[in-house]
């Protein structure tokens, strides 16, 4: 479908061509469409719909009030509170939580008059001003953005957050009145393990079994069995599994962001492809929202100018996140897999505002001191090398650049 585009000799022209119709590019398209209604924006997506198969959630305090306003059409679920549960800590926080579904994402983007969408057609190759499709069509645009998802690189040292979630309908009401961001009061297997719960209606809930693990293998059958056991232990009888989603998200332990960007030269990247995600949670929505605003505010919408703006944003954000990579090293390297939960259990004893700033990736120096103060929840002889950027067992040296 190419409504609103100029098509000649298999060549389509647009003002902005977005390769990949996932979260980052979709939000860029939406924000540009609002701020610059004169532009012809084209999204090309390999899948049949935009946004794949996700429930994207975020904390109310991850984005500004203005950003809430422009994102409002995408929001499907809203809660005013959230809770966490650990073996030695239960806590309820008065921080709102929001969710977007892929279905709504697709629907909203397709409703914008100046956004055109081509789905079911993979991008074969791209450059700063052309996208070549596998069906031989070409798209020419002064601004091309590559949002085709995670790009593996030797310049990033990673751990993994992997999960499988089932949106289920229960026989009877579940009794939850707020999302459970982490229920880690469960057997700790395969790394830091917790269940994440989003109560959509009285009887419908997303149950997600999540692991902070050293490897990226996902045993989906084992996770389905564990979700069934978890539901049973809570006295929930599953009547129907409505849908399923899974993910393996990168968590950064160290790396060299300048080298990462030097390697990536085809066109300005966005989202995971630009290494723009929260180092500890692997979540990318807050950055995707900020980048959409950043691009929409640029005076020149040409690839060469946007790549400069994106590179500066990504490198600055990487450096400001150094502390989070240190926390990850403590989590992955200092703590035994079965004891990793203690790092988060202790963290959740801190002030609600500090926790909110943590998820937004905006902790202050004072917050960082508070997070590290006191007796560490991991053995001190293993924590100290992590602070200095060394693995306690002398492996995996970190390549952090100052
Ligand atoms: C199941 C799941 C749930 C998640 N939940 C959250 C959450 O709650 N909150 C949060 O902040 N983060 C969440 N994340 C993490 C992260 O925000 C998402 O992975 C997010 O979708 C990344 O955005 P992106 O735009 O970089 O990539 P994607 O959204 O993955 O978009 C990339 C798109 O490019 C398309 N593509 C790839 N190759 C081609 C090609 N050759 N041609 C055309 N199109 C192509 C893909 O089909 C895809 O649609 C979740 C991740 C997963 C997997």
């Amino acid at each position: 479908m190419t409504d609103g585009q100029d098509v000649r000799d298999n060549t389509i022209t647009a003002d902005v061509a977005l390769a990949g119709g996932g979260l980052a590019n979709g939000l860029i398209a939406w924000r540009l469409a609002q701020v610059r209604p004169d532009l012809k924006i084209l999204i090309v997506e390999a899948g049949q719909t935009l946004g794949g198969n996700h429930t994207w959630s975020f904390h109310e305090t991850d984005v500004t009030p203005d950003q809430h306003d422009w994102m409002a059409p995408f929001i499907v679920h809203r809660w005013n509170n959230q809770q966490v549960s650990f073996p030695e800590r239960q806590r309820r926080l008065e921080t709102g939580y929001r969710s977007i579904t892929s279905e709504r994402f697709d629907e909203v983007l397709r409703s914008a008059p100046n956004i055109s969408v081509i789905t079911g057609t993979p991008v074969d190759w791209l450059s700063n001003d052309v996208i070549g499709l596998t069906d031989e069509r070409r798209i020419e645009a002064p601004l091309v953005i590559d949002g085709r998802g995670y790009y593996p690189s030797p310049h990033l040292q990673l751990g993994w957050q992997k999960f499988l979630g089932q949106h289920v309908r229960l026989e009877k009401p579940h009794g939850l009145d707020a999302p459970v961001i982490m229920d880690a009061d469960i057997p700790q297997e395969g790394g830091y393990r917790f269940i994440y719960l989003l109560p959509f209606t009285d009887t419908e809930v997303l149950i997600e079994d999540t692991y902070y693990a050293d490897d990226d293998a996902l045993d989906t059958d084992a996770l389905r069995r564990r979700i069934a056991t978890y539901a049973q232990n809570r006295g929930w009888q599953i009547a129907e599994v409505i849908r399923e989603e899974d993910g393996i998200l990168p968590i950064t332990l160290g790396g060299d962001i300048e080298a990462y960007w030097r390697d990536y030269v085809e066109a300005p990247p966005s989202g995971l492809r630009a290494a723009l995600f929260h180092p500890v949670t692997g979540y990318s929505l807050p950055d995707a929202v900020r980048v959409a605003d950043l691009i929409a505010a640029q005076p020149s919408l040409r690839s060469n100018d946007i790549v400069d703006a994106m590179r500066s944003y990504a490198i600055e954000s990487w450096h400001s996140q150094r502390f989070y990579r240190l926390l990850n090293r403590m989590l992955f390297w200092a703590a035994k897999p079965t004891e990793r939960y203690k790092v988060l259990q202790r963290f959740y004893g801190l002030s609600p505002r500090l926790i909110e700033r943590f998820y937004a990736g905006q902790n202050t120096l004072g917050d960082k001191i508070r997070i590290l103060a006191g007796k560490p929840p991991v053995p001190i002889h293993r924590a100290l090398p992590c602070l200095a950027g060394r693995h306690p067992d002398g492996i995996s040296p970190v390549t952090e650049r100052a």
Side-chain angles (χ1 to χ4, degrees):
M1 184 171 84
T2 56
D3 289 354
Q5 304 302 317
D6 296 331
V7 186
R8 255 177 294 107
D9 303 331
N10 250 6
T11 298
I12 304 167
T13 57
D15 297 308
V16 181
L18 300 156
L23 182 66
N25 273 359
L27 292 179
I28 291 169
W30 179 249
R31 191 63 186 134
L32 274 175
Q34 289 180 323
V35 174
R36 295 283 310 272
D38 54 307
L39 295 177
K40 286 188 290 185
I41 302 165
L42 175 61
I43 306 178
V44 186
E45 165 57 41
Q48 295 303 328
T49 56
L50 301 173
N53 176 26
H54 300 83
T55 312
W56 290 294
S57 303
F58 61 103
H59 303 263
E60 186 187 9
T61 43
D62 287 348
V63 301
T64 65
D66 280 351
Q67 290 165 339
H68 275 290
D69 285 349
W70 69 252
M71 292 170 70
F74 293 108
I75 308 298
V76 179
H77 303 285
R78 290 182 164 78
W79 300 270
N80 295 330
N81 298 284
Q82 47 181 276
Q83 35 195 341
V84 290
S85 182
F86 295 91
E88 289 114 41
R89 187 185 306 282
Q90 267 77 46
R91 191 154 181 208
R92 192 173 172 93
L93 294 155
E94 287 175 7
T95 304
Y97 205 61
R98 308 279 182 265
S99 291
I100 296 173
T101 59
S102 296
E103 292 76 20
R104 175 70 66 83
F105 189 74
D106 181 80
E107 193 184 301
V108 170
L109 287 170
R110 286 180 194 270
S111 72
N114 55 334
I115 300 179
S116 301
V117 175
I118 297 178
T119 46
T121 316
V123 169
D124 191 15
W125 55 272
L126 54 75
S127 71
N128 253 345
D129 52 8
V130 186
I131 294 179
L133 302 185
T134 49
D135 65 5
E136 307 293 315
R137 279 181 293 174
R138 285 163 58 91
I139 297 157
E140 293 181 354
L143 174 58
V144 171
I145 297 183
D146 186 359
R148 287 176 292 167
Y150 173 61
Y151 169 69
S153 162
H155 303 300
L156 299 183
Q157 282 171 293
L158 304 173
W160 303 97
Q161 197 222 122
K162 50 192 190 180
F163 55 89
L164 180 122
Q166 290 187 326
H167 174 174
V168 299
R169 190 170 55 76
L170 304 176
E171 292 290 357
K172 295 195 178 131
H174 44 65
L176 298 171
D177 65 353
V180 178
I181 303 302
M182 291 177 179
D183 178 358
D185 195 5
I186 54 172
Q188 294 295 302
E189 0 187 5
Y192 171 46
R193 174 182 177 221
F194 62 90
I195 297 276
Y196 169 82
L197 299 168
L198 295 182
F200 295 142
T201 68
D202 284 355
T203 52
E204 284 182 28
V205 58
L206 178 76
I207 310 178
E208 211 161 81
D209 191 11
T210 305
Y211 300 77
Y212 274 69
D214 302 313
D215 69 84
D216 62 355
L218 190 68
D219 182 348
T220 48
D221 285 339
L223 270 60
R224 283 186 196 105
R225 283 195 298 276
R226 288 178 197 163
I227 289 173
T229 306
Y230 179 84
Q232 205 176 6
N233 290 343
R234 288 196 72 132
W236 294 343
Q237 210 181 330
I238 296 177
E240 182 192 357
V241 176
I242 297 170
R243 57 176 280 279
E244 233 181 55
E245 64 183 62
D246 59 49
I248 303 167
L249 308 184
I251 301 296
T252 40
L253 301 167
D256 180 346
I257 192 69
E258 272 98 358
Y260 179 91
W261 273 78
R262 265 197 306 278
D263 271 10
Y264 197 81
V265 290
E266 289 165 315
S270 66
L272 295 192
R273 213 164 186 87
L276 285 173
F277 50 87
H278 191 296
V280 184
T281 65
Y283 274 20
S284 71
L285 188 140
D287 267 318
V289 171
R290 289 171 205 147
V291 164
D293 268 341
L294 174 83
I295 292 180
Q298 295 305 307
S300 157
L301 289 177
R302 306 188 74 81
S303 289
N304 284 343
D305 298 314
I306 295 299
V307 83
D308 288 345
M310 291 291 297
R311 189 193 293 109
S312 305
Y313 175 90
I315 291 177
E316 196 179 306
S317 133
W318 175 272
H319 290 311
S320 74
Q321 290 167 343
R322 199 181 173 87
F323 176 74
Y324 299 114
R325 293 189 292 279
L326 158 68
L327 292 184
N328 283 341
R329 296 198 290 273
M330 301 265 266
L331 186 66
F332 280 87
W333 293 352
K336 279 197 234 154
T338 50
E339 311 238 311
R340 286 178 185 169
Y341 78 91
K342 290 185 181 167
V343 175
L344 277 303
Q345 178 173 267
R346 180 177 180 281
F347 169 77
Y348 264 104
L350 296 167
S351 89
R353 299 294 89 80
L354 180 153
I355 294 169
E356 288 169 357
R357 288 193 289 273
F358 170 82
Y359 281 107
Q362 293 171 339
N363 284 115
T364 62
L365 178 63
D367 291 343
K368 293 174 189 174
I369 292 168
R370 263 172 232 116
I371 291 171
L372 291 181
K375 186 172 173 293
V378 295
I380 189 92
H381 68 281
R382 293 189 69 80
L384 287 176
C386 294
L387 284 171
R390 284 185 288 108
H391 193 293
D393 302 322
I395 52 172
S396 306
V398 174
T399 52
E400 283 275 7
R401 282 163 60 101

